[in-house]
Amino acid sequence: MSPIILLSFLVVYFAVLLAVAHFTSKGSADNSTFFVANRNSKWYMVAFGMIGTALSGVTFISVPGAVGASNFSYFQFVLGNAVGFVIIAYVLLPLYYRMNLTSIYTYLEERFGHMTYKTGAAIFLVSRTIGSAFRLYLVAIVLQHFIFDAWNVPFAITVVICLLLIWLYTNKGGLKTIIVTDTLQTTFLITAVILSIYFMAKGLDFGVVDTFEAVKESSYSKIFFWEDFVGSKANFWKQFLGGIFVTIAMTGLDQDLMQKNLSMGTIKEAQKNMITFTSVFVVINIFFLAVGALLYIYAEKNGIDISTLATRDYLYPEIALNHLAILPAIIFMMGLTAATFATTDSALTALTTSYCVDFLNFNKKENPNDPALVKKRNFVHFGFSVLMLVVILVFRLINNDSVVNAIFTAASYTYGPLLGLFTFGMLTKRAVNDKLVPYICVLSPLILFLLNTYVISVYTPYVIGLDLIIHNGLITFLLLLMTSPGRATEKALSHK
């Protein structure tokens, strides 16, 4: 596939996004627009656009690639996600709307105290910065390999271009712009997945019924794994329960996706958004898994040696860009780009919002839309873009997949303390020792890591998988309980 064709597509793609940003931010670029889109977003646009945010570029290439090793077991996790989204809709969203929050971590200040609040916000900033940088890094490698290496463009320039373009179309309109661009990008993403199935089926001489039967009868289509709860990460209950709590912690307690839900006028619209989003999310993941099965069937039939690939993540781009026609290749690039940038633009906006509200106290200012504060918000937004660039270049400098993945895994540990904090606040009537909370939130994942490394994995047959966040949250909950000074004040309990 010619790099110049792929590059031309990317230029056109970003021109469309910049045009959308221009029109959505026209006449209104204040902080209310940037942070919560003036709280008048349409629920159906948010619901649809959130698909692109939830499905990163890593998901776009990794879920299909993983089918060869784990079959459709990932769908067990997706079912858990669906339950988690329903819990968010009917437990967390009513709390956030009742308190009229801009940053969801303000709840921690009202319920527990200043240090707990700052700790929760800091956990989000660190976790989301590393997580988003990791996702963009992996996709930037694909763009570098298939496009920019042809002209010997340095990897750093590739990332700078990506981040600069994202900054340009999110800087003024913020969330208001992102809701529109994410709707557009989700359309591209879903179109790419469906058309990828169509073109691979066509290459295999399959009709619609043949395609369905081929996927169903393949050795990859097994979904449920009930055996070996102790020793297998693929066990249904580990995947399902892990899916529930990962969703609650990494979506419901994450400013990124919740910021979109807080941009609607009423709680009913926000709940309608979450339920609609959940339905589409489940269906689109079925398509991703079907793509994975077809990729392996296609590779086997056409003699493509999978063993030569550095990682299974390269299977989808390898077949789409080197073994199919020009149109399928462009469609793949469209989906990958849409998934990647829908995630990154949303993350940058959420990071900026959290820092401005949680650390610069914009919500406590007499006029949050003061031009001086708007200017300061622009500076913060640019600063996080630069920070993400630095983190990505550090990943590149390390140049060791196992180390980079370990860093990402370490970041995922930090959502456990958030789960423990919010659960403790909502399920108990006790106060916390506010000054100890930062230490507890560092100690909890450290205890779990040491237990898992030197006790559980050595002396027991139990293997921790996606249930890691449950254990992490439980340790945090117990430490908070052990150090609690007693019952909270009635004022604090009014925010339960």
Side-chain angles (χ1 to χ4, degrees):
M1 180 67 194
S2 170
I4 192 67
I5 294 175
L6 295 177
L7 182 61
S8 300
F9 161 74
L10 288 178
V11 170
V12 173
Y13 183 87
F14 276 109
V16 172
L17 293 182
L18 290 171
V20 170
H22 173 73
F23 287 108
T24 54
S25 63
K26 202 172 183 179
S28 180
D30 58 21
N31 288 332
S32 295
T33 301
F34 189 95
F35 295 150
V36 291
N38 305 118
R39 297 194 190 275
N40 62 3
S41 300
K42 304 300 181 184
W43 69 266
Y44 46 86
M45 289 186 67
V46 175
F48 191 68
M50 278 175 62
I51 298 296
T53 305
L55 299 173
S56 69
V58 178
T59 305
F60 190 80
I61 58 178
S62 292
V63 170
V67 166
S70 57
N71 304 134
F72 282 14
S73 63
Y74 179 74
F75 195 67
Q76 300 173 126
F77 179 71
V78 172
L79 292 175
N81 294 157
V83 175
F85 289 135
V86 173
I87 293 172
I88 291 169
Y90 293 100
V91 177
L92 290 176
L93 283 180
L95 172 66
Y96 299 156
Y97 267 81
R98 187 170 69 247
M99 296 180 66
N100 195 32
L101 302 181
T102 299
S103 167
I104 62 174
Y105 307 112
T106 309
Y107 163 77
L108 296 175
E109 182 175 39
E110 301 294 336
R111 176 66 176 84
F112 293 129
H114 182 75
M115 289 300 294
T116 304
Y117 167 45
K118 299 299 181 185
T119 301
I123 287 172
F124 164 72
L125 292 177
V126 172
S127 302
R128 179 52 68 179
T129 299
I130 293 175
S132 296
F134 176 81
R135 294 179 178 94
L136 184 57
Y137 163 73
L138 291 184
V139 175
I141 290 174
V142 174
L143 295 177
Q144 183 72 27
H145 179 69
F146 289 99
I147 300 178
F148 295 104
D149 275 347
W151 297 288
N152 297 315
V153 176
F155 179 76
I157 300 300
T158 300
V159 180
V160 167
I161 292 171
C162 292
L163 285 169
L164 179 61
L165 288 168
I166 292 170
W167 178 81
L168 283 173
Y169 77 79
T170 59
N171 185 51
K172 286 188 176 181
L175 189 61
K176 185 177 180 181
T177 295
I178 283 173
I179 287 171
V180 179
T181 56
D182 280 3
T183 300
L184 186 65
Q185 295 189 111
T186 298
T187 302
F188 292 152
L189 169 63
I190 293 176
T191 302
V193 173
I194 293 173
L195 288 180
S196 290
I197 292 174
Y198 168 77
F199 283 114
M200 276 189 290
K202 186 177 179 182
L204 291 164
D205 294 322
F206 289 164
V208 175
V209 176
D210 297 326
T211 303
F212 175 79
E213 288 297 325
V215 171
K216 180 183 174 184
E217 299 301 325
S218 73
S219 59
Y220 308 108
S221 62
K222 183 178 179 182
I223 296 177
F224 298 106
F225 293 77
W226 303 100
E227 62 275 8
D228 197 9
F229 173 79
V230 173
S232 173
K233 291 183 179 181
N235 176 269
F236 172 81
W237 292 109
K238 284 184 181 178
Q239 294 263 332
F240 180 71
L241 294 175
I244 294 174
F245 287 96
V246 164
T247 297
I248 292 172
M250 300 182 75
T251 298
L253 307 181
D254 182 285
Q255 179 65 24
D256 190 352
L257 283 168
M258 286 301 96
Q259 187 167 348
K260 293 181 175 66
N261 283 280
L262 296 176
S263 70
M264 280 161 274
T266 66
I267 178 62
K268 293 295 183 185
E269 287 186 329
Q271 289 171 330
K272 195 185 300 183
N273 157 65
M274 281 301 299
I275 299 305
T276 304
F277 159 75
T278 301
S279 303
V280 179
F281 178 83
V282 171
V283 172
I284 196 63
N285 272 287
I286 294 174
F287 280 100
F288 269 115
L289 292 168
V291 167
L294 286 172
L295 284 169
Y296 283 95
I297 294 170
Y298 188 94
E300 183 178 349
K301 183 175 179 180
N302 289 276
I304 299 172
D305 188 1
I306 297 174
S307 64
T308 61
L309 301 177
T311 169
R312 292 177 184 269
D313 290 348
Y314 285 165
L315 179 60
Y316 195 178
E318 172 65 24
I319 291 178
L321 299 177
N322 290 334
H323 295 273
L324 297 177
I326 292 177
L327 183 58
I330 291 176
I331 288 168
F332 166 79
M333 191 57 67
M334 176 179 71
L336 179 64
T337 306
T340 302
F341 293 102
T343 302
T344 309
D345 60 19
S346 180
L348 278 175
T349 302
L351 289 166
T352 300
T353 300
S354 178
Y355 190 81
C356 289
V357 173
D358 299 324
F359 290 93
L360 299 182
N361 302 314
F362 276 31
N363 60 325
K364 297 177 182 178
K365 305 294 184 182
E366 185 174 340
N367 179 18
N369 293 320
D370 183 278
L373 293 181
V374 172
K375 185 176 180 179
K376 186 176 290 187
R377 182 258 294 165
N378 289 336
F379 180 78
V380 171
H381 192 59
F382 181 76
F384 273 110
S385 301
V386 173
L387 177 60
M388 198 168 291
L389 169 65
V390 171
V391 174
I392 291 171
L393 294 182
V394 168
F395 285 157
R396 183 69 167 181
L397 186 64
I398 292 171
N399 200 27
N400 183 311
D401 287 345
S402 61
V403 175
V404 171
N405 276 282
I407 294 172
F408 179 62
T409 301
S412 69
Y413 266 88
T414 58
Y415 278 94
L418 272 180
L419 180 63
L421 281 171
F422 275 82
T423 303
F424 192 85
M426 299 179 74
L427 296 186
T428 78
K429 295 183 178 181
R430 301 184 68 85
V432 299
N433 189 322
D434 192 40
K435 293 181 179 179
L436 289 181
V437 168
Y439 302 101
I440 288 174
C441 288
V442 172
L443 188 60
S444 173
L446 180 60
I447 289 174
L448 179 58
F449 174 77
L450 293 175
L451 280 174
N452 188 35
T453 305
Y454 298 106
V455 179
I456 298 173
S457 62
V458 176
Y459 298 105
T460 76
Y462 189 82
V463 176
I464 293 180
L466 291 168
D467 54 333
L468 179 146
I469 201 165
I470 302 175
H471 305 297
N472 199 351
L474 181 60
I475 291 172
T476 304
F477 187 97
L478 292 174
L479 290 174
L480 292 171
L481 188 62
M482 290 166 57
T483 57
S484 171
R487 183 182 171 88
T489 64
E490 291 303 318
K491 181 181 179 182
L493 291 176
S494 67
H495 299 293
K496 279 193 63 177

